[in-house]
Amino acid sequence: MKCPSCEHEPVKIIDTRAQESGEVVRQRRCPQCAAKFTTVERISAFGLKVAKAGDRPPEDFSRTKLRRGIEKAAAVWSLGEKDLDAILDRVVKRLRPKPNEIVSSKEIAEIVLRVLAGDRPALAITRTRFAMVSIGRTSRATRFHGVHDFIRWLEDEYGAPPVTRPVQTPSVVVKRNGHTREEFSLQKLERSIGIASKGRGSDGQVERDATAIAVQVAGELHGQAIVTSQQIAGEALKILKRRDQLAYLRYASAVKRYQSVDDFWREAFGLLES
């Protein structure tokens, strides 16, 4: 290896440390200019081939493609660069790649799932989402033919469910910030719709309409245990738009967070097209 400062060759290794991920970190010193620098060595998957479904020829293993798949599975639970590198290094290490060797994408997926095993929520969620894609493909024989198969997989991997089956759905509302959660309340939804509809009929009529709309929204979301506040608002807006466009505008201005009077113009013009 050449010195990056003066290009003298060779340089001296003064310290070597093996990492849990399989990387080897070495400190080096140039005997000519005395410059010190660090190198990181990792197992390469160069030459490894991945078997594809059907009659398609094998393709080169792509660390970048696998990284992208894990990042997508992580979704909002972003994994840091070091975490991703460590995960990929462990996957490659377990593959024990040899030039021109062919492995199946299923084998790679199984190794990823083993590497992602851990107690950290980010890893557990990433692992579960990755499994839903890798095991849940309809193009191959799979254990995930439906939700019952998925539940059995969860039990196999994580044991008995720590949560009880919801008495009703929707059950939990995820607020706009993505972190706050609260129980779904039909009464709360009725109040918000009633406020938007105030004066659009007698008090009794407004109350009855608000109740009817809230029940209809809950019906549209039935079967979804966890819903977002945006979903609830979306269903309410669809109904209000058909029933009372002024009440729709009142409700929309709050849930869509209009930024200026221009937004009222845009929304009103849109209603003219419907």
Side-chain angles (χ1 to χ4, degrees), residues 215-226:
V215 169
Q216 191 172 344
V217 169
E220 292 294 330
L221 298 173
H222 180 70
Q224 300 184 55
I226 302 173

Side-chain angles (χ1 to χ4, degrees), residues 150-161:
F150 176 62
I151 289 173
R152 279 193 290 270
W153 181 86
L154 285 175
E155 290 176 342
D156 291 342
E157 297 294 323
Y158 297 105

Side-chain angles (χ1 to χ4, degrees), residues 1-3 6-11 30-32:
M1 177 176 288
K2 291 183 180 181
C3 170
C6 69
E7 296 191 348
H8 176 77
E9 186 179 9
V11 294
C30 176
Q32 179 164 292

Side-chain angles (χ1 to χ4, degrees), residues 45-256:
F46 179 78
L48 184 67
K49 302 289 184 180
V50 181
K52 307 304 292 181
D55 297 327
R56 291 182 296 170
E59 63 180 36
D60 292 335
F61 172 82
S62 170
R63 184 183 173 102
T64 300
K65 186 176 180 179
L66 181 58
R67 182 191 187 101
R68 194 181 307 124
I70 295 172
E71 284 180 315
K72 286 181 179 178
V76 296
W77 291 83
S78 58
L79 296 172
E81 294 293 319
K82 288 185 178 180
D83 282 334
L84 284 167
D85 284 336
I87 289 168
L88 291 165
D89 287 340
R90 288 198 289 271
V91 170
V92 173
K93 183 180 180 181
R94 293 194 183 200
L95 279 170
R96 301 183 181 278
K98 300 174 183 176
N100 300 317
E101 183 180 13
I102 298 177
V103 298
S104 68
S105 55
K106 180 180 177 182
E107 182 181 350
I108 294 174
E110 289 173 349
I111 291 174
V112 171
L113 292 176
R114 290 200 295 271
V115 168
L116 287 173
D119 296 330
R120 285 173 53 196
L123 287 180
I125 291 173
T126 301
R127 182 173 186 264
T128 304
R129 282 173 52 84
F130 192 90
M132 292 177 74
V133 173
S134 61
I135 305 177
R137 295 182 185 275
T138 57
S139 58
R140 63 168 71 130
T142 173
R143 291 166 58 190
F144 286 4
H145 294 289
V147 69
H148 292 291
D149 296 321
F150 176 62
I151 289 173
R152 279 193 290 270
W153 181 86
L154 285 175
E155 290 176 342
D156 291 342
E157 297 294 323
Y158 297 105
V163 297
T164 58
R165 187 167 179 168
V167 177
Q168 64 176 19
T169 57
S171 176
V172 175
V173 180
V174 180
K175 306 300 284 183
R176 187 182 290 267
N177 61 21
H179 303 291
T180 306
R181 294 183 171 207
E182 62 182 36
E183 287 187 25
F184 173 78
S185 170
L186 193 66
Q187 292 72 28
K188 185 176 180 179
L189 179 57
E190 287 176 8
R191 285 196 299 272
S192 65
I193 295 171
I195 291 170
S197 304
K198 189 174 178 62
R200 303 297 293 166
S202 67
D203 290 347
Q205 184 62 51
V206 168
E207 185 176 344
R208 287 191 294 273
D209 286 348
T211 299
I213 293 171
V215 169
Q216 191 172 344
V217 169
E220 292 294 330
L221 298 173
H222 180 70
Q224 300 184 55
I226 302 173
V227 297
T228 65
S229 55
Q230 293 97 317
Q231 280 182 280
I232 295 172
E235 294 296 337
L237 284 170
K238 283 193 290 186
I239 300 168
L240 283 170
K241 180 172 173 286
R242 293 193 297 267
R243 293 175 67 121
D244 188 329
Q245 293 185 337
L246 188 58
Y248 164 87
L249 284 169
R250 290 176 180 171
Y251 194 82
S253 64
V255 299
K256 294 186 181 182

